[in-house]
């Protein structure tokens, strides 16, 4: 089975590129983030013509997550239990579910529970969105811990744009990012806390750093200068991690006209 995650940065802008890559890469399941469209705007028919079923949640031109699978798509779940919401106009930014953004969708694909996740950016350390990000990650940790407690042999993949660089090796310049989001200790601790529940980063052993990134800003010639960040991950439950045979970051997909600012991340598993 070949599983991938990719922040496509607008599926309508990059549809042909994504479908071509799915075919060339022989991808069974793709988790997508930042689809940037409503459900009625998502190009479902084009994916179906290519042999994929799709689950998508999109509420506006922002955020949006999807799963495309050619090996089955069952038990679709929009948002994970306890996922908090964000209201940019409220005096307080934290709202209880079900007032949630389009940042999480789960489905069972070929016996594997796949989650496509777009973790909040955080914006700045003193922005309400940063507090929201930490609350969001805490809620996700609670869900992951419960899933494994209920079924230690569960096959679960947490795929997506985490908007966290877990170590200094995951950014091109720790000095440049000092005092910014994505690298702060509370964010890194939140990421580690999910690993502490039993999940593991199954890509890093095959694509270790430093200098191995998944995201490069469009500005300042970041890509040709190799000034990137590793913020896209596939975290696997213990039972799924034991099946992983290979993984890679497809840096070539960041090249050329019309590329997303993120590269796809791919994991191969045994049947």
């Amino acid at each position: 089975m070949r599983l991938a995650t990719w922040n496509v940065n607008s599926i309508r802008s990059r549809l042909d590129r994504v479908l071509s890559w799915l075919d060339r890469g022989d991808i069974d399941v793709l988790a997508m983030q930042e689809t940037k469209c409503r459900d009625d705007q998502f190009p479902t028919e084009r994916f179906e013509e290519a042999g994929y079923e799709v689950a998508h949640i999109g509420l506006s031109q922002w955020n949006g997550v999807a799963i495309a699978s050619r090996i089955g798509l069952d038990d679709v779940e929009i948002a994970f239990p306890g996922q908090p919401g964000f209201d940019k106009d409220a005096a307080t930014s934290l709202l209880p579910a079900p007032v949630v953004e389009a940042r999480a969708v789960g489905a069972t694909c070929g016996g594997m529970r796949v989650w496509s996740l777009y973790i909040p950016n955080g914006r700045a350390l003193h922005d309400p969105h940063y507090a929201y990000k930490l609350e969001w990650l805490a809620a996700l940790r609670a869900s992951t811990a419960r899933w494994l407690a209920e079924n230690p042999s569960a096959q679960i993949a947490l795929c997506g744009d985490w908007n966290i660089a877990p170590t200094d090796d995951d950014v091109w310049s720790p000095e440049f990012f000092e005092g910014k989001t994505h690298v702060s200790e509370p964010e890194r601790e939140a990421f580690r806390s999910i690993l502490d529940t039993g999940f593991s980063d199954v890509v890093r052993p095959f694509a270790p750093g430093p200098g191995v990134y998944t995201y490069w800003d469009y500005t300042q010639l970041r890509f040709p200068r190799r000034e990137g960040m590793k913020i896209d991950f596939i975290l696997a439950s213990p039972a799924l991690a034991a099946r992983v045979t290979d993984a890679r970051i497809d840096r070539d997909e960041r090249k050329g006209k019309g590329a997303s600012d993120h590269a796809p991340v791919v994991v191969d598993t045994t049947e």
Side-chain angles (χ1 to χ4, degrees):
M1 183 185 301
R2 181 162 289 168
L3 168 68
T5 186
W6 194 0
N7 180 322
V8 296
N9 192 9
S10 178
I11 186 58
R12 290 179 293 172
S13 298
R14 284 171 246 290
L15 177 59
D16 290 340
R17 186 162 186 151
V18 170
L19 291 174
S20 176
W21 181 80
L22 284 173
D23 182 55
R24 295 194 318 275
D26 195 26
I27 306 298
D28 294 306
V29 181
L30 174 62
M32 289 172 275
Q33 301 84 44
E34 280 204 278
T35 57
K36 294 185 175 180
C37 64
R38 301 187 309 267
D39 287 346
D40 63 302
Q41 297 171 317
F42 190 90
T44 302
E45 290 185 4
R46 291 286 303 278
F47 278 88
E48 291 175 343
E49 289 169 359
Y52 291 85
E53 298 177 83
V54 175
H56 176 258
I57 175 63
L59 306 176
S60 66
Q61 74 271 31
W62 308 112
N63 308 322
V65 286
I67 299 170
S69 171
R70 64 181 186 183
I71 57 172
L73 190 75
D74 302 306
D75 303 320
V76 174
E77 188 174 358
I78 303 300
F80 56 83
Q83 181 179 325
F86 180 76
D87 183 355
K88 63 182 176 62
D89 297 319
T92 176
S93 64
L94 300 181
L95 297 171
V99 183
V100 296
E101 296 180 302
R103 292 186 177 273
V105 61
T108 300
C109 309
M112 175 174 55
R113 189 66 177 169
V114 178
W115 281 92
S116 180
L117 305 170
Y118 180 44
I119 283 71
N121 178 283
R123 300 177 184 167
L125 297 183
H126 300 291
D127 193 291
H129 207 259
Y130 180 77
Y132 164 56
K133 180 179 191 174
L134 297 179
E135 182 76 7
W136 203 97
L137 288 162
L140 177 62
R141 186 206 184 278
S143 285
T144 59
R146 183 173 61 255
W147 294 333
L148 287 183
E150 293 172 350
N151 183 7
S153 62
Q155 309 273 333
I156 307 172
L158 308 177
C159 309
D161 176 357
W162 290 76
N163 273 316
I164 299 171
T167 75
D168 283 352
D169 282 350
D170 298 324
V171 295
W172 67 272
S173 170
E175 294 76 19
F176 176 84
F177 288 100
E178 187 174 353
K180 297 181 173 66
T181 61
H182 292 55
V183 302
S184 71
E185 183 54 31
E187 291 167 283
R188 288 178 167 179
E189 175 56 32
F191 188 90
R192 289 194 297 268
S193 74
I194 293 173
L195 299 180
D196 289 344
T197 68
F199 281 79
S200 59
D201 175 357
V202 291
V203 178
R204 192 176 296 273
F206 300 93
V212 179
Y213 307 129
T214 65
Y215 165 83
W216 302 260
D217 197 315
Y218 287 128
T219 65
Q220 304 296 314
L221 298 175
R222 295 296 186 208
F223 183 67
R225 292 168 60 177
R226 298 183 178 272
E227 297 176 349
M229 307 176 73
K230 183 186 283 185
I231 58 176
D232 302 86
F233 299 94
I234 296 177
L235 306 187
S237 62
L240 179 59
R243 295 171 49 204
V244 173
T245 58
D246 197 10
R248 71 181 190 277
I249 297 165
D250 194 347
R251 186 178 183 277
D252 285 346
E253 280 305 310
R254 177 59 176 82
K255 299 177 181 178
K257 184 179 180 180
S260 170
D261 46 3
H262 293 251
V265 177
V266 184
V267 164
D268 289 334
T269 73
T270 58
E271 294 296 333

